[in-house]
Amino acid sequence: MSSPVSHGMIGLSLGLAYVLPKGSWRYAWSAFREKWGLLAATLFLSGSPDLDLLPGLWVGNLNAFHHAYTHTLGWVFLMSAGVYLCWRSFHPEDGWRCFVLFFLAALSHLGIDYLTEDTSYPYGVMAFWPFQSDYFLFNRSYFLGPEKANVAALFQWHNVKVMIVDFLVCLPILLAVLVWKWALKQRGRRWKWSS
Ligand SMILES: [Zn+2]
Protein backbone atom coordinates (compact mmCIF):
# COMPACT_ATOMS: atom_id res chain seq x y z
CA MET A 1 0.00 0.00 0.00
CA SER A 2 0.90 3.62 -0.34
CA SER A 3 -0.09 6.25 2.23
CA PRO A 4 -3.49 7.98 2.40
CA VAL A 5 -1.78 11.09 0.98
CA SER A 6 -1.32 9.60 -2.51
CA HIS A 7 -4.73 7.93 -2.56
CA GLY A 8 -6.38 11.12 -1.31
CA MET A 9 -4.60 13.40 -3.78
CA ILE A 10 -5.44 11.23 -6.78
CA GLY A 11 -9.03 10.91 -5.57
CA LEU A 12 -9.18 14.68 -5.13
CA SER A 13 -7.73 15.23 -8.62
CA LEU A 14 -10.40 12.98 -10.15
CA GLY A 15 -13.13 14.63 -8.09
CA LEU A 16 -12.04 18.14 -9.04
CA ALA A 17 -11.83 17.14 -12.71
CA TYR A 18 -15.51 16.21 -12.40
CA VAL A 19 -16.79 18.92 -10.07
CA LEU A 20 -15.02 22.07 -11.26
CA PRO A 21 -17.62 23.62 -13.48
CA LYS A 22 -18.25 24.77 -16.97
CA GLY A 23 -14.89 26.23 -17.85
CA SER A 24 -15.12 29.12 -15.41
CA TRP A 25 -13.46 29.67 -12.04
CA ARG A 26 -16.20 32.14 -11.17
CA TYR A 27 -18.53 29.30 -10.23
CA ALA A 28 -15.86 27.02 -8.78
CA TRP A 29 -16.60 27.76 -5.14
CA SER A 30 -20.36 27.37 -5.47
CA ALA A 31 -19.86 24.09 -7.36
CA PHE A 32 -17.45 22.98 -4.67
CA ARG A 33 -20.01 23.74 -1.96
CA GLU A 34 -22.81 22.07 -3.90
CA LYS A 35 -20.80 18.94 -4.67
CA TRP A 36 -18.66 18.52 -1.55
CA GLY A 37 -20.53 15.31 -0.74
CA LEU A 38 -19.58 13.91 -4.12
CA LEU A 39 -15.94 14.87 -3.49
CA ALA A 40 -16.11 13.15 -0.10
CA ALA A 41 -17.55 9.99 -1.71
CA THR A 42 -14.76 10.08 -4.30
CA LEU A 43 -12.11 10.40 -1.59
CA PHE A 44 -13.70 7.57 0.38
CA LEU A 45 -13.65 5.29 -2.67
CA SER A 46 -10.04 6.15 -3.51
CA GLY A 47 -9.05 4.90 -0.06
CA SER A 48 -11.66 2.17 0.37
CA PRO A 49 -9.46 -0.86 -0.49
CA ASP A 50 -7.42 -0.13 2.64
CA LEU A 51 -10.48 -0.80 4.80
CA ASP A 52 -8.92 -4.26 5.01
CA LEU A 53 -6.51 -2.79 7.59
CA LEU A 54 -9.38 -2.48 10.09
CA PRO A 55 -9.84 -6.19 10.89
CA GLY A 56 -6.05 -6.29 11.35
CA LEU A 57 -6.49 -3.87 14.26
CA TRP A 58 -8.51 -6.56 15.99
CA VAL A 59 -5.72 -9.14 15.83
CA GLY A 60 -2.86 -6.67 16.45
CA ASN A 61 -1.35 -7.04 12.97
CA LEU A 62 -2.45 -4.45 10.42
CA ASN A 63 -1.12 -6.60 7.57
CA ALA A 64 -3.07 -9.70 8.60
CA PHE A 65 -5.82 -9.24 6.00
CA HIS A 66 -4.15 -6.60 3.83
CA HIS A 67 -3.85 -6.68 0.02
CA ALA A 68 -6.40 -9.40 -0.56
CA TYR A 69 -9.94 -9.16 -1.88
CA THR A 70 -10.40 -5.43 -1.31
CA HIS A 71 -7.54 -4.72 -3.73
CA THR A 72 -9.30 -6.25 -6.71
CA LEU A 73 -11.44 -5.32 -9.68
CA GLY A 74 -14.36 -7.11 -8.01
CA TRP A 75 -14.16 -4.84 -4.95
CA VAL A 76 -13.71 -1.73 -7.10
CA PHE A 77 -16.86 -2.54 -9.06
CA LEU A 78 -19.00 -3.50 -6.07
CA MET A 79 -17.95 -0.50 -3.98
CA SER A 80 -18.29 2.05 -6.76
CA ALA A 81 -21.66 0.61 -7.82
CA GLY A 82 -22.89 0.56 -4.21
CA VAL A 83 -21.80 4.12 -3.46
CA TYR A 84 -23.19 5.27 -6.81
CA LEU A 85 -26.62 3.73 -6.15
CA CYS A 86 -26.73 5.41 -2.72
CA TRP A 87 -25.59 8.71 -4.17
CA ARG A 88 -28.03 8.49 -7.07
CA SER A 89 -30.98 7.99 -4.73
CA PHE A 90 -30.29 11.45 -3.27
CA HIS A 91 -28.94 13.08 -6.44
CA PRO A 92 -30.80 11.67 -9.45
CA GLU A 93 -29.26 14.40 -11.61
CA ASP A 94 -25.88 12.64 -11.45
CA GLY A 95 -25.79 10.06 -14.21
CA TRP A 96 -23.37 7.49 -15.60
CA ARG A 97 -20.41 9.89 -15.55
CA CYS A 98 -20.73 9.97 -11.78
CA PHE A 99 -20.44 6.16 -11.72
CA VAL A 100 -17.36 6.37 -13.96
CA LEU A 101 -15.85 8.89 -11.52
CA PHE A 102 -16.49 6.60 -8.54
CA PHE A 103 -15.13 3.58 -10.43
CA LEU A 104 -11.96 5.41 -11.47
CA ALA A 105 -11.44 6.70 -7.92
CA ALA A 106 -11.54 3.18 -6.48
CA LEU A 107 -9.50 1.82 -9.40
CA SER A 108 -6.83 4.48 -8.85
CA HIS A 109 -6.07 2.85 -5.50
CA LEU A 110 -5.09 -0.38 -7.26
CA GLY A 111 -2.98 1.58 -9.74
CA ILE A 112 -1.06 3.38 -6.99
CA ASP A 113 -0.48 0.22 -4.97
CA TYR A 114 0.73 -1.49 -8.16
CA LEU A 115 3.41 1.21 -8.39
CA THR A 116 4.30 1.13 -4.67
CA GLU A 117 7.22 -0.62 -3.02
CA ASP A 118 5.92 -3.74 -1.27
CA THR A 119 8.14 -5.52 1.24
CA SER A 120 5.64 -7.92 2.77
CA TYR A 121 3.89 -10.97 1.37
CA PRO A 122 1.64 -11.06 -0.63
CA TYR A 123 3.53 -8.72 -2.99
CA GLY A 124 1.42 -6.40 -5.12
CA VAL A 125 -2.31 -6.51 -5.79
CA MET A 126 -4.66 -9.31 -6.87
CA ALA A 127 -5.97 -6.85 -9.42
CA PHE A 128 -8.09 -9.04 -11.68
CA TRP A 129 -9.97 -11.11 -9.11
CA PRO A 130 -12.61 -12.64 -9.56
CA PHE A 131 -11.28 -13.41 -13.06
CA GLN A 132 -7.88 -14.57 -11.79
CA SER A 133 -6.00 -14.64 -8.47
CA ASP A 134 -2.46 -13.67 -9.58
CA TYR A 135 -0.73 -10.81 -7.82
CA PHE A 136 0.77 -7.94 -9.82
CA LEU A 137 3.50 -5.48 -8.82
CA PHE A 138 5.33 -3.15 -11.19
CA ASN A 139 9.06 -3.79 -11.38
CA ARG A 140 9.79 -0.18 -10.48
CA SER A 141 8.42 1.69 -7.43
CA TYR A 142 7.25 5.29 -7.64
CA PHE A 143 5.89 5.34 -4.07
CA LEU A 144 7.50 4.19 -0.83
CA GLY A 145 5.79 1.55 1.29
CA PRO A 146 4.87 2.74 4.82
CA GLU A 147 5.73 0.85 7.99
CA LYS A 148 2.44 -0.53 9.33
CA ALA A 149 3.07 -3.77 11.20
CA ASN A 150 0.94 -2.38 14.04
CA VAL A 151 -0.49 0.94 15.19
CA ALA A 152 2.69 1.95 17.07
CA ALA A 153 4.77 1.37 13.91
CA LEU A 154 2.74 4.00 12.05
CA PHE A 155 4.30 6.83 14.06
CA GLN A 156 7.85 6.95 12.75
CA TRP A 157 9.98 9.19 10.57
CA HIS A 158 9.95 6.77 7.64
CA ASN A 159 6.20 7.22 7.28
CA VAL A 160 6.58 11.02 7.20
CA LYS A 161 9.05 10.52 4.34
CA VAL A 162 6.50 8.26 2.62
CA MET A 163 3.86 11.00 2.80
CA ILE A 164 6.27 13.66 1.51
CA VAL A 165 7.18 11.47 -1.49
CA ASP A 166 3.47 10.78 -2.10
CA PHE A 167 2.74 14.50 -2.04
CA LEU A 168 5.55 15.35 -4.45
CA VAL A 169 4.65 12.57 -6.89
CA CYS A 170 0.92 13.41 -6.90
CA LEU A 171 1.17 17.21 -6.87
CA PRO A 172 1.88 17.50 -10.64
CA ILE A 173 -1.25 15.45 -11.34
CA LEU A 174 -3.40 17.71 -9.13
CA LEU A 175 -1.90 20.81 -10.73
CA ALA A 176 -2.43 19.34 -14.20
CA VAL A 177 -6.15 19.01 -13.47
CA LEU A 178 -6.34 22.65 -12.35
CA VAL A 179 -4.38 23.84 -15.41
CA TRP A 180 -6.63 21.73 -17.64
CA LYS A 181 -9.68 23.47 -16.18
CA TRP A 182 -7.98 26.83 -16.61
CA ALA A 183 -7.24 25.97 -20.24
CA LEU A 184 -10.90 25.09 -20.71
CA LYS A 185 -11.76 28.55 -19.49
CA GLN A 186 -9.23 30.15 -21.82
CA ARG A 187 -10.80 28.40 -24.78
CA GLY A 188 -14.25 29.38 -23.56
CA ARG A 189 -15.48 25.81 -23.61
CA ARG A 190 -18.44 24.66 -21.58
CA TRP A 191 -18.23 21.51 -19.54
CA LYS A 192 -21.20 20.16 -17.64
CA TRP A 193 -20.74 17.78 -14.76
CA SER A 194 -24.38 16.77 -14.51
CA SER A 195 -26.06 14.59 -17.08
ZN1 LIG B 1 -4.01 -0.29 -0.60
Side-chain angles (χ1 to χ4, degrees):
M1 68 173 276
S2 185
S3 84
V5 172
S6 57
H7 296 306
M9 286 181 73
I10 297 302
L12 182 65
S13 302
L14 289 165
L16 288 177
Y18 185 88
V19 164
L20 284 180
K22 302 176 183 171
S24 170
W25 291 113
R26 200 192 316 174
Y27 305 109
W29 178 242
S30 55
F32 191 80
R33 272 192 312 183
E34 188 184 339
K35 293 287 180 182
W36 69 268
L38 191 142
L39 276 175
T42 306
L43 285 173
F44 168 73
L45 283 165
S46 66
S48 66
D50 283 345
L51 287 174
D52 63 3
L53 293 169
L54 295 179
L57 275 175
W58 185 259
V59 297
N61 174 10
L62 288 178
N63 291 319
F65 307 98
H66 192 46
H67 267 200
Y69 296 103
T70 61
H71 287 70
T72 63
L73 210 49
W75 171 272
V76 166
F77 180 77
L78 286 176
M79 282 299 285
S80 49
V83 172
Y84 171 69
L85 289 175
C86 291
W87 179 263
R88 188 80 200 266
S89 63
F90 294 101
H91 300 272
E93 75 277 11
D94 285 317
W96 63 270
R97 280 180 292 195
C98 179
F99 171 71
V100 172
L101 167 69
F102 287 168
F103 184 82
L104 289 178
L107 190 66
S108 72
H109 188 109
L110 271 53
I112 291 171
D113 281 4
Y114 173 67
L115 300 172
T116 299
E117 169 190 49
D118 194 349
T119 55
S120 60
Y121 184 84
Y123 304 109
V125 286
M126 194 167 56
F128 295 106
W129 185 87
F131 304 107
Q132 57 164 284
S133 301
D134 295 337
Y135 277 76
F136 296 88
L137 183 64
F138 196 54
N139 55 19
R140 185 171 168 184
S141 302
Y142 292 91
F143 301 93
L144 298 174
E147 294 291 341
K148 55 179 186 345
N150 49 54
V151 174
L154 294 175
F155 300 96
Q156 53 182 290
W157 168 243
H158 171 78
N159 287 350
V160 176
K161 212 163 70 177
V162 168
M163 289 190 282
I164 292 170
V165 170
D166 282 6
F167 178 79
L168 293 175
V169 172
C170 296
L171 186 61
I173 297 169
L174 183 58
L175 292 176
V177 168
L178 297 176
V179 168
W180 171 52
K181 287 295 177 173
W182 178 79
L184 282 181
K185 178 191 175 188
Q186 293 305 302
R187 291 206 298 270
R189 284 173 52 179
R190 314 298 274 180
W191 194 67
K192 281 173 69 70
W193 35 251
S194 56
S195 58

Short mmCIF file of all heavy atoms in Angstrom, two decimals, residues 1 7 49-50 66-67 71 109 113, ligand 1:
data_model
loop_
_atom_site.label_atom_id
_atom_site.label_comp_id
_atom_site.label_asym_id
_atom_site.label_seq_id
_atom_site.Cartn_x
_atom_site.Cartn_y
_atom_site.Cartn_z
N MET A 1 0.83 -1.20 0.00
CA MET A 1 0.00 0.00 0.00
C MET A 1 0.85 1.24 0.00
O MET A 1 2.00 1.22 0.44
CB MET A 1 -0.92 0.03 1.22
CG MET A 1 -0.21 0.21 2.56
SD MET A 1 -1.34 0.44 3.93
CE MET A 1 -1.67 2.21 3.84
N HIS A 7 -3.36 8.33 -2.18
CA HIS A 7 -4.73 7.93 -2.56
C HIS A 7 -5.68 9.13 -2.50
O HIS A 7 -6.54 9.30 -3.37
CB HIS A 7 -5.21 6.81 -1.63
CG HIS A 7 -4.41 5.56 -1.75
ND1 HIS A 7 -4.20 4.93 -2.96
CD2 HIS A 7 -3.73 4.83 -0.82
CE1 HIS A 7 -3.46 3.85 -2.76
NE2 HIS A 7 -3.16 3.77 -1.48
N PRO A 49 -10.09 0.46 -0.58
CA PRO A 49 -9.46 -0.86 -0.49
C PRO A 49 -8.66 -1.07 0.80
O PRO A 49 -8.52 -2.20 1.27
CB PRO A 49 -8.55 -0.89 -1.72
CG PRO A 49 -9.26 -0.04 -2.73
CD PRO A 49 -9.81 1.10 -1.89
N ASP A 50 -8.19 0.03 1.40
CA ASP A 50 -7.42 -0.13 2.64
C ASP A 50 -8.30 -0.31 3.87
O ASP A 50 -7.78 -0.38 5.00
CB ASP A 50 -6.47 1.06 2.84
CG ASP A 50 -5.24 0.96 1.94
OD1 ASP A 50 -5.00 -0.15 1.41
OD2 ASP A 50 -4.54 1.96 1.76
N HIS A 66 -4.40 -7.68 4.79
CA HIS A 66 -4.15 -6.60 3.83
C HIS A 66 -3.78 -7.14 2.45
O HIS A 66 -3.17 -8.19 2.33
CB HIS A 66 -3.02 -5.73 4.38
CG HIS A 66 -2.86 -4.43 3.65
ND1 HIS A 66 -3.93 -3.63 3.33
CD2 HIS A 66 -1.77 -3.81 3.17
CE1 HIS A 66 -3.48 -2.55 2.70
NE2 HIS A 66 -2.18 -2.65 2.57
N HIS A 67 -4.17 -6.37 1.42
CA HIS A 67 -3.85 -6.68 0.02
C HIS A 67 -4.47 -7.99 -0.46
O HIS A 67 -3.82 -8.75 -1.17
CB HIS A 67 -2.33 -6.70 -0.20
CG HIS A 67 -1.82 -5.36 -0.66
ND1 HIS A 67 -0.62 -5.18 -1.29
CD2 HIS A 67 -2.37 -4.13 -0.56
CE1 HIS A 67 -0.45 -3.91 -1.57
NE2 HIS A 67 -1.49 -3.25 -1.13
N HIS A 71 -8.41 -5.33 -2.72
CA HIS A 71 -7.54 -4.72 -3.73
C HIS A 71 -7.72 -5.44 -5.06
O HIS A 71 -6.77 -5.93 -5.66
CB HIS A 71 -6.08 -4.77 -3.27
CG HIS A 71 -5.77 -3.80 -2.18
ND1 HIS A 71 -6.24 -3.95 -0.90
CD2 HIS A 71 -5.05 -2.65 -2.17
CE1 HIS A 71 -5.82 -2.94 -0.16
NE2 HIS A 71 -5.10 -2.14 -0.90
N HIS A 109 -6.75 3.43 -6.66
CA HIS A 109 -6.07 2.85 -5.50
C HIS A 109 -5.23 1.64 -5.93
O HIS A 109 -4.06 1.50 -5.52
CB HIS A 109 -7.10 2.43 -4.45
CG HIS A 109 -6.47 2.02 -3.16
ND1 HIS A 109 -6.56 2.77 -2.02
CD2 HIS A 109 -5.72 0.93 -2.84
CE1 HIS A 109 -5.89 2.17 -1.05
NE2 HIS A 109 -5.37 1.04 -1.52
N ASP A 113 -1.12 1.33 -5.70
CA ASP A 113 -0.48 0.22 -4.97
C ASP A 113 0.37 -0.65 -5.90
O ASP A 113 1.38 -1.22 -5.49
CB ASP A 113 -1.53 -0.62 -4.25
CG ASP A 113 -2.01 0.03 -2.96
OD1 ASP A 113 -1.57 1.16 -2.67
OD2 ASP A 113 -2.82 -0.58 -2.24
ZN ZN B 1 -4.01 -0.29 -0.60
#
